[in-house]
Protein backbone atom coordinates (compact mmCIF):
# COMPACT_ATOMS: atom_id res chain seq x y z
CA UNK A 1 0.00 0.00 0.00
CA UNK A 2 2.76 2.42 0.95
CA UNK A 3 4.64 1.53 -2.19
CA UNK A 4 1.50 2.18 -4.22
CA UNK A 5 1.10 5.61 -2.64
CA UNK A 6 4.78 6.34 -3.22
CA UNK A 7 4.37 5.29 -6.84
CA UNK A 8 1.32 7.49 -7.29
CA UNK A 9 3.12 10.40 -5.66
CA UNK A 10 6.21 10.04 -7.80
CA UNK A 11 4.16 10.03 -10.98
CA UNK A 12 1.61 12.58 -9.80
CA UNK A 13 2.20 14.86 -12.78
CA UNK A 14 1.63 12.07 -15.24
CA UNK A 15 -1.58 11.10 -13.46
CA UNK A 16 -2.79 14.68 -13.26
CA UNK A 17 -2.10 14.95 -16.98
CA UNK A 18 -3.96 11.74 -17.77
CA UNK A 19 -6.94 12.74 -15.64
CA UNK A 20 -7.22 16.15 -17.29
CA UNK A 21 -6.99 14.58 -20.75
CA UNK A 22 -9.63 12.05 -19.79
CA UNK A 23 -11.91 14.89 -18.67
CA UNK A 24 -11.34 16.65 -22.00
CA UNK A 25 -12.12 13.55 -24.02
CA UNK A 26 -15.18 12.93 -21.87
CA UNK A 27 -16.42 16.47 -22.50
CA UNK A 28 -15.85 16.04 -26.22
CA UNK A 29 -17.71 12.76 -26.40
CA UNK A 30 -20.60 14.14 -24.38
CA UNK A 31 -20.89 17.22 -26.55
CA UNK A 32 -21.16 14.96 -29.57
CA UNK A 33 -24.11 13.13 -28.07
CA UNK A 34 -27.50 14.71 -28.48
CA UNK A 35 -27.84 15.32 -24.77
CA UNK A 36 -25.64 18.30 -24.19
CA UNK A 37 -23.56 18.28 -21.04
CA UNK A 38 -25.29 19.71 -17.99
CA UNK A 39 -22.41 22.10 -17.51
CA UNK A 40 -23.15 23.85 -20.79
CA UNK A 41 -26.72 24.42 -19.70
CA UNK A 42 -25.41 26.61 -16.91
CA UNK A 43 -22.71 28.35 -18.89
CA UNK A 44 -24.87 28.87 -21.95
CA UNK A 45 -26.49 32.04 -20.64
CA UNK A 46 -23.25 33.80 -19.76
CA UNK A 47 -21.32 32.80 -22.87
CA UNK A 48 -24.32 33.58 -25.04
CA UNK A 49 -24.61 37.12 -23.68
CA UNK A 50 -20.93 37.78 -24.48
CA UNK A 51 -21.53 36.31 -27.91
CA UNK A 52 -24.52 38.61 -28.30
CA UNK A 53 -22.35 41.62 -27.49
CA UNK A 54 -19.71 40.54 -29.99
CA UNK A 55 -22.36 39.76 -32.58
CA UNK A 56 -23.98 43.18 -32.12
CA UNK A 57 -20.65 44.84 -32.79
CA UNK A 58 -19.98 42.53 -35.73
CA UNK A 59 -23.44 43.19 -37.16
CA UNK A 60 -22.46 46.72 -38.13
CA UNK A 61 -19.92 45.46 -40.61
CA UNK A 62 -22.47 43.56 -42.65
CA UNK A 63 -25.31 46.02 -42.14
CA UNK A 64 -25.45 47.01 -45.77
CA UNK A 65 -25.68 43.47 -47.07
CA UNK A 66 -28.23 42.46 -44.43
CA UNK A 67 -30.37 45.53 -45.15
CA UNK A 68 -30.35 44.68 -48.81
CA UNK A 69 -31.48 41.16 -48.10
CA UNK A 70 -34.25 42.28 -45.75
CA UNK A 71 -35.33 44.85 -48.29
CA UNK A 72 -35.58 42.25 -50.99
CA UNK A 73 -37.53 39.99 -48.74
CA UNK A 74 -39.86 42.85 -47.77
CA UNK A 75 -40.49 43.60 -51.39
CA UNK A 76 -41.22 39.99 -52.13
CA UNK A 77 -43.61 39.66 -49.21
CA UNK A 78 -45.30 42.96 -49.96
CA UNK A 79 -45.90 41.93 -53.54
CA UNK A 80 -47.65 38.81 -52.37
CA UNK A 81 -50.10 40.78 -50.20
CA UNK A 82 -53.71 40.14 -50.96
CA UNK A 83 -54.44 43.79 -51.65
CA UNK A 84 -52.00 43.73 -54.54
CA UNK A 85 -54.10 41.26 -56.42
CA UNK A 86 -56.98 42.19 -58.58
CA UNK A 87 -59.74 39.70 -58.16
CA UNK A 88 -61.01 38.12 -61.37
CA UNK A 89 -63.56 36.14 -59.47
CA UNK A 90 -66.63 38.22 -58.87
CA UNK A 91 -68.91 35.85 -57.03
CA UNK A 92 -68.55 35.87 -53.26
CA UNK A 93 -69.74 32.63 -51.86
CA UNK A 94 -68.07 32.22 -48.48
CA UNK A 95 -67.18 34.51 -45.62
CA UNK A 96 -65.28 32.30 -43.24
CA UNK A 97 -62.53 30.28 -44.88
CA UNK A 98 -62.97 26.77 -43.58
CA UNK A 99 -60.79 25.18 -46.23
CA UNK A 100 -57.56 26.52 -44.84
CA UNK A 101 -56.05 26.08 -41.40
CA UNK A 102 -52.71 27.33 -40.22
CA UNK A 103 -50.00 24.67 -40.13
CA UNK A 104 -46.72 26.56 -39.75
CA UNK A 105 -45.76 29.44 -37.46
CA UNK A 106 -42.60 31.42 -38.17
CA UNK A 107 -40.73 33.30 -35.47
CA UNK A 108 -37.96 35.69 -36.43
CA UNK A 109 -34.64 35.32 -34.60
CA UNK A 110 -31.12 36.55 -34.95
CA UNK A 111 -27.95 34.48 -34.96
CA UNK A 112 -25.69 35.63 -32.13
CA UNK A 113 -23.03 32.96 -32.53
CA UNK A 114 -22.20 31.02 -35.64
CA UNK A 115 -19.67 28.38 -36.61
CA UNK A 116 -19.22 26.75 -39.98
CA UNK A 117 -15.61 25.59 -40.18
CA UNK A 118 -15.69 22.69 -37.74
CA UNK A 119 -16.85 19.14 -38.30
CA UNK A 120 -19.92 19.75 -36.14
CA UNK A 121 -21.30 23.23 -36.30
CA UNK A 122 -23.73 25.02 -34.02
CA UNK A 123 -25.46 28.38 -34.03
CA UNK A 124 -26.91 30.32 -31.11
CA UNK A 125 -30.15 32.29 -31.56
CA UNK A 126 -31.36 35.18 -29.43
CA UNK A 127 -34.80 33.64 -28.88
CA UNK A 128 -35.54 31.00 -26.26
CA UNK A 129 -38.14 29.27 -24.12
CA UNK A 130 -39.89 32.55 -23.29
CA UNK A 131 -40.45 33.21 -26.98
CA UNK A 132 -42.00 29.80 -27.51
CA UNK A 133 -38.97 28.06 -28.99
CA UNK A 134 -38.78 24.33 -28.30
CA UNK A 135 -36.11 21.74 -29.12
CA UNK A 136 -36.72 20.03 -32.44
CA UNK A 137 -38.12 23.03 -34.30
CA UNK A 138 -36.69 23.76 -37.72
CA UNK A 139 -34.77 26.88 -38.72
CA UNK A 140 -34.89 28.47 -42.16
CA UNK A 141 -33.72 31.79 -43.56
CA UNK A 142 -34.58 33.76 -46.65
CA UNK A 143 -32.14 31.65 -48.68
CA UNK A 144 -33.24 28.22 -47.50
CA UNK A 145 -32.92 25.51 -44.92
CA UNK A 146 -30.59 26.15 -41.96
CA UNK A 147 -30.92 23.64 -39.11
CA UNK A 148 -32.78 22.33 -36.08
CA UNK A 149 -33.10 23.70 -32.53
CA UNK A 150 -31.23 21.53 -30.05
CA UNK A 151 -31.34 23.20 -26.64
CA UNK A 152 -33.21 26.16 -25.24
CA UNK A 153 -32.63 28.38 -22.23
CA UNK A 154 -34.95 31.21 -21.25
CA UNK A 155 -33.62 33.79 -23.69
CA UNK A 156 -31.40 31.83 -26.04
CA UNK A 157 -31.41 28.65 -28.00
CA UNK A 158 -28.68 26.63 -29.66
CA UNK A 159 -29.15 24.71 -32.85
CA UNK A 160 -27.29 22.23 -34.99
CA UNK A 161 -27.00 23.44 -38.55
CA UNK A 162 -26.99 21.44 -41.74
CA UNK A 163 -23.21 21.48 -41.28
CA UNK A 164 -23.28 18.82 -38.57
CA UNK A 165 -22.54 15.09 -38.69
CA UNK A 166 -25.82 14.33 -36.90
CA UNK A 167 -27.98 16.42 -39.17
CA UNK A 168 -29.95 14.34 -41.63
CA UNK A 169 -33.03 15.41 -43.55
CA UNK A 170 -34.80 14.32 -46.66
CA UNK A 171 -34.46 16.35 -49.83
CA UNK A 172 -36.30 15.94 -53.11
CA UNK A 173 -35.25 16.82 -56.64
CA UNK A 174 -37.41 19.53 -58.15
CA UNK A 175 -37.77 17.92 -61.58
CA UNK A 176 -38.40 14.27 -60.80
CA UNK A 177 -39.67 14.40 -57.25
CA UNK A 178 -37.30 11.60 -56.19
CA UNK A 179 -36.09 12.03 -52.67
CA UNK A 180 -32.91 11.12 -50.83
CA UNK A 181 -31.03 11.86 -47.65
CA UNK A 182 -29.22 15.17 -47.24
CA UNK A 183 -26.11 15.02 -45.06
CA UNK A 184 -22.90 16.94 -44.68
CA UNK A 185 -19.57 15.11 -45.30
CA UNK A 186 -17.46 17.88 -43.81
CA UNK A 187 -14.72 20.01 -45.42
CA UNK A 188 -16.58 22.83 -47.19
CA UNK A 189 -19.56 24.79 -45.90
CA UNK A 190 -20.72 25.34 -49.46
CA UNK A 191 -21.47 21.72 -50.34
CA UNK A 192 -23.54 18.85 -48.94
CA UNK A 193 -24.46 15.37 -50.13
CA UNK A 194 -27.78 14.01 -51.35
CA UNK A 195 -27.56 10.21 -51.20
CA UNK A 196 -29.84 7.22 -51.81
CA UNK A 197 -31.22 8.49 -55.11
CA UNK A 198 -32.38 5.70 -57.43
CA UNK A 199 -29.92 5.22 -60.28
CA UNK A 200 -32.36 5.25 -63.19
CA UNK A 201 -33.49 8.82 -62.76
CA UNK A 202 -32.16 11.68 -64.87
CA UNK A 203 -30.15 14.24 -62.98
CA UNK A 204 -28.93 17.50 -64.42
CA UNK A 205 -26.44 19.97 -63.05
CA UNK A 206 -28.36 22.85 -61.51
CA UNK A 207 -31.42 20.80 -60.52
CA UNK A 208 -32.95 22.35 -57.42
CA UNK A 209 -33.17 20.28 -54.24
CA UNK A 210 -36.09 21.08 -51.93
CA UNK A 211 -37.08 19.94 -48.50
CA UNK A 212 -39.91 17.45 -48.18
CA UNK A 213 -42.66 17.32 -45.62
CA UNK A 214 -41.70 13.81 -44.45
CA UNK A 215 -39.94 14.87 -41.27
CA UNK A 216 -42.52 17.55 -40.58
CA UNK A 217 -39.81 19.86 -39.24
CA UNK A 218 -39.47 22.05 -42.31
CA UNK A 219 -42.20 23.33 -44.58
CA UNK A 220 -42.04 21.52 -47.92
CA UNK A 221 -40.35 23.28 -50.85
CA UNK A 222 -37.80 25.10 -48.71
CA UNK A 223 -34.69 25.36 -50.92
CA UNK A 224 -31.71 23.25 -49.81
CA UNK A 225 -29.39 23.63 -52.79
CA UNK A 226 -28.71 22.78 -56.41
CA UNK A 227 -27.06 19.67 -57.87
CA UNK A 228 -23.38 20.19 -58.65
CA UNK A 229 -22.23 16.71 -59.72
CA UNK A 230 -23.02 13.07 -58.91
CA UNK A 231 -21.48 9.62 -58.76
CA UNK A 232 -22.86 6.11 -58.85
CA UNK A 233 -21.35 3.75 -56.37
CA UNK A 234 -20.63 0.46 -58.14
CA UNK A 235 -21.70 -1.69 -55.25
CA UNK A 236 -25.30 -0.54 -55.10
CA UNK A 237 -27.91 0.95 -57.35
CA UNK A 238 -27.98 4.33 -55.71
CA UNK A 239 -26.65 7.65 -56.89
CA UNK A 240 -24.98 10.14 -54.63
CA UNK A 241 -25.15 13.79 -55.66
CA UNK A 242 -23.07 16.67 -54.42
CA UNK A 243 -25.23 19.74 -53.92
CA UNK A 244 -24.22 23.38 -53.65
CA UNK A 245 -26.02 24.70 -50.60
CA UNK A 246 -28.53 27.50 -51.04
CA UNK A 247 -27.69 29.10 -47.70
CA UNK A 248 -24.45 30.99 -47.24
CA UNK A 249 -23.60 29.83 -43.73
CA UNK A 250 -20.77 32.32 -43.41
CA UNK A 251 -23.14 35.30 -43.43
CA UNK A 252 -26.07 33.96 -41.48
CA UNK A 253 -27.81 36.59 -39.36
CA UNK A 254 -31.60 36.77 -39.69
CA UNK A 255 -33.37 33.42 -39.48
CA UNK A 256 -36.87 32.14 -38.83
CA UNK A 257 -37.79 29.34 -36.46
CA UNK A 258 -40.54 27.13 -37.84
CA UNK A 259 -43.13 25.46 -35.69
CA UNK A 260 -45.33 22.83 -37.29
CA UNK A 261 -48.61 22.88 -35.39
CA UNK A 262 -49.69 19.53 -36.84
CA UNK A 263 -46.43 17.71 -36.06
CA UNK A 264 -47.49 16.18 -32.69
CA UNK A 265 -50.63 14.81 -34.30
CA UNK A 266 -48.64 13.33 -37.18
CA UNK A 267 -46.06 11.75 -34.87
CA UNK A 268 -48.75 10.27 -32.65
CA UNK A 269 -50.53 8.71 -35.58
CA UNK A 270 -47.30 7.30 -37.02
CA UNK A 271 -46.33 5.84 -33.67
CA UNK A 272 -49.68 4.15 -33.18
CA UNK A 273 -49.40 2.63 -36.66
CA UNK A 274 -45.98 1.26 -35.84
CA UNK A 275 -47.31 -0.67 -32.88
CA UNK A 276 -48.11 -4.28 -33.74
CA UNK B 1 5.51 38.66 -6.37
CA UNK B 2 1.93 39.85 -6.05
CA UNK B 3 2.49 42.17 -8.98
CA UNK B 4 3.69 39.21 -11.03
CA UNK B 5 0.51 37.23 -10.41
CA UNK B 6 -1.64 40.24 -11.26
CA UNK B 7 0.29 40.78 -14.46
CA UNK B 8 -0.06 37.12 -15.37
CA UNK B 9 -3.81 37.19 -14.73
CA UNK B 10 -4.37 40.30 -16.84
CA UNK B 11 -2.23 38.76 -19.61
CA UNK B 12 -4.43 35.66 -19.37
CA UNK B 13 -7.72 37.59 -19.52
CA UNK B 14 -6.41 39.73 -22.38
CA UNK B 15 -5.35 36.75 -24.48
CA UNK B 16 -8.57 34.86 -23.79
CA UNK B 17 -10.80 37.82 -24.67
CA UNK B 18 -8.91 38.52 -27.89
CA UNK B 19 -9.16 34.84 -28.85
CA UNK B 20 -12.87 34.59 -28.14
CA UNK B 21 -13.96 37.99 -29.44
CA UNK B 22 -11.55 38.64 -32.30
CA UNK B 23 -9.58 35.65 -33.52
CA UNK B 24 -12.45 33.15 -33.40
CA UNK B 25 -14.19 35.34 -35.98
CA UNK B 26 -11.33 35.25 -38.45
CA UNK B 27 -11.86 32.52 -40.99
CA UNK B 28 -9.39 32.80 -43.83
CA UNK B 29 -10.33 30.83 -46.98
CA UNK B 30 -13.23 29.48 -44.91
CA UNK B 31 -11.15 26.97 -42.93
CA UNK B 32 -8.09 28.68 -41.47
CA UNK B 33 -8.93 29.84 -37.99
CA UNK B 34 -6.07 31.31 -35.93
CA UNK B 35 -5.69 29.93 -32.41
CA UNK B 36 -3.41 32.35 -30.59
CA UNK B 37 -4.30 31.46 -27.00
CA UNK B 38 -1.74 28.58 -26.68
CA UNK B 39 0.90 31.31 -26.55
CA UNK B 40 -0.18 31.94 -22.95
CA UNK B 41 0.93 28.48 -21.83
CA UNK B 42 3.98 28.57 -24.10
CA UNK B 43 5.17 31.93 -22.78
CA UNK B 44 4.55 31.27 -19.07
CA UNK B 45 7.56 32.06 -16.89
CA UNK B 46 10.29 29.41 -17.22
CA UNK B 47 10.17 28.85 -13.45
CA UNK B 48 6.50 27.79 -13.56
CA UNK B 49 6.08 24.32 -12.08
CA UNK B 50 4.95 21.45 -14.29
CA UNK B 51 1.72 21.21 -12.31
CA UNK B 52 1.14 24.91 -12.96
CA UNK B 53 1.66 24.39 -16.68
CA UNK B 54 -0.91 21.59 -16.68
CA UNK B 55 -3.38 23.73 -14.75
CA UNK B 56 -3.10 26.78 -17.01
CA UNK B 57 -3.17 24.57 -20.08
CA UNK B 58 -6.41 22.96 -19.05
CA UNK B 59 -8.07 26.20 -17.92
CA UNK B 60 -7.22 28.17 -21.07
CA UNK B 61 -8.41 25.36 -23.34
CA UNK B 62 -11.54 24.89 -21.28
CA UNK B 63 -12.53 28.55 -21.62
CA UNK B 64 -12.11 28.49 -25.39
CA UNK B 65 -14.18 25.28 -25.48
CA UNK B 66 -17.02 26.94 -23.62
CA UNK B 67 -17.18 29.76 -26.13
CA UNK B 68 -16.61 27.68 -29.23
CA UNK B 69 -19.05 24.98 -28.11
CA UNK B 70 -16.56 22.26 -28.91
CA UNK B 71 -16.80 20.02 -25.85
CA UNK B 72 -13.23 19.37 -24.72
CA UNK B 73 -11.00 19.45 -27.79
CA UNK B 74 -9.24 22.68 -26.88
CA UNK B 75 -8.64 21.64 -23.28
CA UNK B 76 -7.25 18.35 -24.57
CA UNK B 77 -4.80 20.09 -26.90
CA UNK B 78 -3.61 22.76 -24.47
CA UNK B 79 -3.23 20.30 -21.59
CA UNK B 80 -1.06 18.26 -23.92
CA UNK B 81 1.27 21.14 -24.72
CA UNK B 82 1.28 22.15 -21.04
CA UNK B 83 2.50 18.67 -20.24
CA UNK B 84 5.01 18.57 -23.07
CA UNK B 85 6.31 22.14 -22.66
CA UNK B 86 9.49 21.30 -20.73
CA UNK B 87 10.37 18.81 -23.46
CA UNK B 88 9.48 21.23 -26.26
CA UNK B 89 11.54 23.93 -24.61
CA UNK B 90 14.52 21.60 -24.38
CA UNK B 91 14.73 21.60 -28.19
CA UNK B 92 16.00 25.19 -28.14
CA UNK B 93 17.06 25.78 -24.53
CA UNK B 94 19.93 24.31 -22.58
CA UNK B 95 18.90 25.31 -19.04
CA UNK B 96 15.17 24.61 -19.23
CA UNK B 97 14.50 28.07 -20.58
CA UNK B 98 15.82 29.92 -17.54
CA UNK B 99 18.60 31.48 -19.59
CA UNK B 100 16.03 33.55 -21.49
CA UNK B 101 14.56 36.82 -20.18
CA UNK B 102 11.13 35.72 -21.36
CA UNK B 103 9.76 33.01 -23.60
CA UNK B 104 8.76 35.36 -26.39
CA UNK B 105 10.47 36.87 -29.39
CA UNK B 106 12.40 39.47 -27.39
CA UNK B 107 13.81 36.98 -24.92
CA UNK B 108 14.60 34.06 -27.19
CA UNK B 109 15.66 35.58 -30.47
CA UNK B 110 13.89 35.02 -33.75
CA UNK B 111 15.32 31.61 -34.66
CA UNK B 112 14.70 29.91 -31.35
CA UNK B 113 11.27 31.48 -30.96
CA UNK B 114 10.17 30.35 -34.42
CA UNK B 115 11.41 26.79 -33.85
CA UNK B 116 9.87 26.50 -30.39
CA UNK B 117 6.61 28.23 -31.33
CA UNK B 118 6.01 26.41 -34.59
CA UNK B 119 6.70 22.93 -33.22
CA UNK B 120 4.55 23.53 -30.13
CA UNK B 121 1.68 25.00 -32.15
CA UNK B 122 1.79 22.12 -34.58
CA UNK B 123 1.52 19.62 -31.71
CA UNK B 124 -1.41 21.65 -30.35
CA UNK B 125 -3.22 21.88 -33.69
CA UNK B 126 -2.63 18.24 -34.51
CA UNK B 127 -4.20 17.15 -31.21
CA UNK B 128 -7.05 19.59 -31.82
CA UNK B 129 -7.87 18.36 -35.31
CA UNK B 130 -7.38 14.75 -34.28
CA UNK B 131 -10.11 15.02 -31.67
CA UNK B 132 -12.35 17.30 -33.74
CA UNK B 133 -12.99 14.93 -36.62
CA UNK B 134 -11.65 11.65 -35.40
CA UNK B 135 -13.50 9.31 -37.71
CA UNK B 136 -14.10 11.62 -40.62
CA UNK B 137 -10.74 12.90 -41.74
CA UNK B 138 -8.01 10.86 -43.36
CA UNK B 139 -4.57 11.07 -41.75
CA UNK B 140 -3.22 12.95 -44.78
CA UNK B 141 -5.81 15.71 -44.67
CA UNK B 142 -5.41 15.82 -40.89
CA UNK B 143 -1.69 16.54 -41.21
CA UNK B 144 -2.19 19.08 -44.00
CA UNK B 145 -4.99 20.91 -42.22
CA UNK B 146 -3.20 21.05 -38.87
CA UNK B 147 0.10 22.16 -40.46
CA UNK B 148 -1.51 24.94 -42.51
CA UNK B 149 -3.49 26.18 -39.57
CA UNK B 150 -0.49 26.01 -37.22
CA UNK B 151 1.58 28.14 -39.59
CA UNK B 152 -1.27 30.61 -39.92
CA UNK B 153 -1.76 30.80 -36.13
CA UNK B 154 1.96 31.28 -35.65
CA UNK B 155 2.07 34.14 -38.16
CA UNK B 156 -0.78 35.85 -36.32
CA UNK B 157 1.02 35.32 -32.99
CA UNK B 158 4.24 36.67 -34.47
CA UNK B 159 2.48 39.81 -35.69
CA UNK B 160 0.75 40.29 -32.34
CA UNK B 161 4.00 39.78 -30.41
CA UNK B 162 5.87 42.20 -32.67
CA UNK B 163 3.09 44.74 -32.23
CA UNK B 164 3.10 44.47 -28.43
CA UNK B 165 6.87 44.40 -27.95
CA UNK B 166 7.67 47.32 -30.29
CA UNK B 167 5.04 49.39 -28.50
CA UNK B 168 6.75 48.62 -25.19
CA UNK B 169 10.20 49.44 -26.55
CA UNK B 170 9.06 52.86 -27.74
CA UNK B 171 7.88 53.87 -24.31
Amino acid sequence: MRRLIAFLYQNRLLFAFLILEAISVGLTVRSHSLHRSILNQYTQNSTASLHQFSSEVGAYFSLKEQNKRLNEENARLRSSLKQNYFSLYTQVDSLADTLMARQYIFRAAQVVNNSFTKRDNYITLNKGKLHGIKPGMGIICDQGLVGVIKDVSNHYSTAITLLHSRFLTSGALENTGNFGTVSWPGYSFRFATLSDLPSQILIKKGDAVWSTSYSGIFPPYTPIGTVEDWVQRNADQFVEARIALAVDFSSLRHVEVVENLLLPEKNELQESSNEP
Amino acid sequence: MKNGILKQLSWFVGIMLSQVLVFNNIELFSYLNPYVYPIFVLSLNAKTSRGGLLFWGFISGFIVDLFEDTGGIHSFATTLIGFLRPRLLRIVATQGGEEFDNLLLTGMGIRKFVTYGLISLWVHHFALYLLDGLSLRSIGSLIIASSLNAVFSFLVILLAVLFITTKKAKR
Side-chain angles (χ1 to χ4, degrees):
Chain A
M1 189 65 198
R2 261 173 63 191
R3 277 173 66 187
L4 180 71
I5 291 171
F7 173 74
L8 286 177
Y9 186 73
Q10 266 172 11
N11 293 302
R12 61 191 186 281
L13 269 169
L14 183 66
F15 285 117
F17 168 66
L18 290 178
I19 288 168
L20 288 177
E21 294 294 56
I23 293 173
S24 308
V25 173
L27 285 172
T28 310
V29 172
R30 283 189 69 169
S31 79
H32 279 287
S33 78
L34 278 170
H35 303 284
R36 175 177 298 258
S37 65
I38 301 163
L39 186 79
N40 277 9
Q41 287 282 4
Y42 289 114
T43 55
Q44 210 181 357
N45 264 324
S46 54
T47 56
S49 54
L50 189 58
H51 277 314
Q52 169 138 34
F53 165 73
S54 122
S55 163
E56 273 166 9
V57 174
Y60 285 101
F61 296 108
S62 60
L63 211 54
K64 216 171 161 183
E65 165 69 21
Q66 297 293 339
N67 274 344
K68 208 184 100 207
R69 265 211 219 158
L70 288 179
N71 237 338
E72 279 167 4
E73 189 168 22
N74 263 346
R76 206 171 59 239
L77 294 177
R78 196 183 307 269
S79 61
S80 65
L81 275 179
K82 208 177 167 191
Q83 69 211 38
N84 288 332
Y85 287 88
F86 183 81
S87 175
L88 298 172
Y89 184 67
T90 46
Q91 254 179 321
V92 178
D93 52 12
S94 153
L95 289 174
D97 191 351
T98 52
L99 293 175
M100 304 281 259
R102 176 176 282 279
Q103 183 176 4
Y104 296 100
I105 293 182
F106 298 87
R107 293 181 176 89
Q110 266 143 54
V111 177
V112 293
N113 186 28
N114 184 6
S115 76
F116 52 90
T117 55
K118 292 189 245 332
R119 180 63 189 95
D120 292 321
N121 295 287
Y122 298 89
I123 55 174
T124 309
L125 306 180
N126 67 347
K127 294 280 154 66
K129 219 182 287 170
L130 297 180
H131 307 92
I133 312 279
K134 291 187 207 74
M137 287 183 182
I139 305 166
I140 61 171
C141 71
D142 57 321
Q143 296 171 314
L145 190 144
V146 176
V148 172
I149 299 281
K150 188 159 163 266
D151 289 293
V152 288
S153 64
N154 280 339
H155 299 93
Y156 294 101
S157 52
T158 55
I160 62 174
T161 63
L162 208 155
L163 311 178
H164 193 289
S165 57
R166 298 260 183 170
F167 187 91
L168 297 174
T169 188
S170 61
L173 288 169
E174 178 194 18
N175 293 348
T176 62
N178 291 91
F179 67 95
T181 310
V182 177
S183 60
W184 190 57
Y187 306 116
S188 171
F189 66 88
R190 294 195 181 89
F191 298 100
T193 311
L194 177 64
S195 48
D196 302 339
L197 288 169
S199 62
Q200 74 274 14
I201 60 166
L202 285 169
I203 311 179
K204 285 197 310 293
K205 184 175 191 252
D207 276 358
V209 178
W210 285 342
S211 71
T212 65
S213 54
Y214 298 145
S215 67
I217 296 173
F218 302 103
Y221 307 115
T222 309
I224 298 176
T226 51
V227 172
E228 195 71 18
D229 50 28
W230 59 92
V231 284
Q232 177 167 11
R233 294 276 155 84
N234 283 334
D236 48 38
Q237 299 121 39
F238 292 108
V239 172
E240 192 179 291
R242 197 164 71 109
I243 55 178
L245 290 171
V247 176
D248 179 4
F249 281 92
S250 63
S251 71
L252 211 56
R253 198 163 304 275
H254 298 278
V255 296
E256 283 156 38
V257 182
V258 189
E259 178 175 9
N260 182 353
L261 297 172
L262 303 184
L263 187 61
E265 185 186 328
K266 184 183 165 212
N267 286 346
E268 204 174 298
L269 180 65
Q270 283 175 345
E271 246 164 59
S272 66
S273 307
N274 284 342
E275 277 162 21
Chain B
M1 184 62 201
K2 213 171 184 183
N3 206 1
I5 292 172
L6 216 65
K7 206 174 149 192
Q8 186 167 323
L9 270 178
S10 57
W11 184 224
F12 180 70
V13 172
I15 289 180
M16 283 301 152
L17 278 180
S18 59
Q19 175 67 48
V20 169
L21 291 176
V22 181
F23 294 116
N24 275 355
N25 295 317
I26 298 178
E27 261 130 9
L28 199 65
F29 311 129
S30 85
Y31 55 82
L32 289 182
N33 193 339
Y35 294 117
V36 304
Y37 72 95
I39 196 65
F40 177 76
V41 178
L42 294 177
S43 69
L44 272 176
N45 194 317
K47 292 192 185 81
T48 313
S49 71
R50 301 190 62 182
L53 289 173
L54 275 184
F55 171 78
W56 284 113
F58 184 74
I59 291 293
S60 58
F62 188 71
I63 289 175
V64 174
D65 272 331
L66 285 185
F67 280 96
E68 288 252 282
D69 237 342
T70 43
I73 63 173
H74 287 281
S75 26
F76 181 86
T78 37
T79 311
L80 183 70
I81 56 165
F83 182 71
L84 293 178
R85 202 190 85 157
R87 241 157 283 188
L88 291 166
L89 205 51
R90 222 175 290 152
I91 300 171
V92 292
T94 46
Q95 295 156 35
E98 291 197 24
E99 71 264 41
F100 303 124
D101 294 339
N102 59 49
L103 295 180
L104 284 171
L105 187 63
T106 45
M108 298 177 81
I110 183 87
R111 267 178 66 186
K112 286 184 173 174
F113 181 64
V114 170
T115 318
Y116 169 61
L118 260 185
I119 294 176
S120 313
L121 273 180
W122 185 77
V123 171
H124 172 268
H125 281 56
F126 186 80
L128 193 71
Y129 278 74
L130 185 72
L131 215 60
D132 185 27
L134 205 52
S135 54
L136 291 135
R137 283 178 204 262
S138 66
I139 188 79
S141 74
L142 181 71
I143 290 172
I144 292 169
S146 58
S147 308
L148 277 176
N149 212 338
V151 170
F152 180 49
S153 299
F154 186 73
L155 286 178
V156 173
I157 289 177
L158 208 59
L159 282 176
V161 168
L162 279 172
F163 178 71
I164 293 168
T165 46
T166 47
K167 219 171 141 191
K168 261 185 192 162
K170 263 184 198 165
R171 235 182 262 157

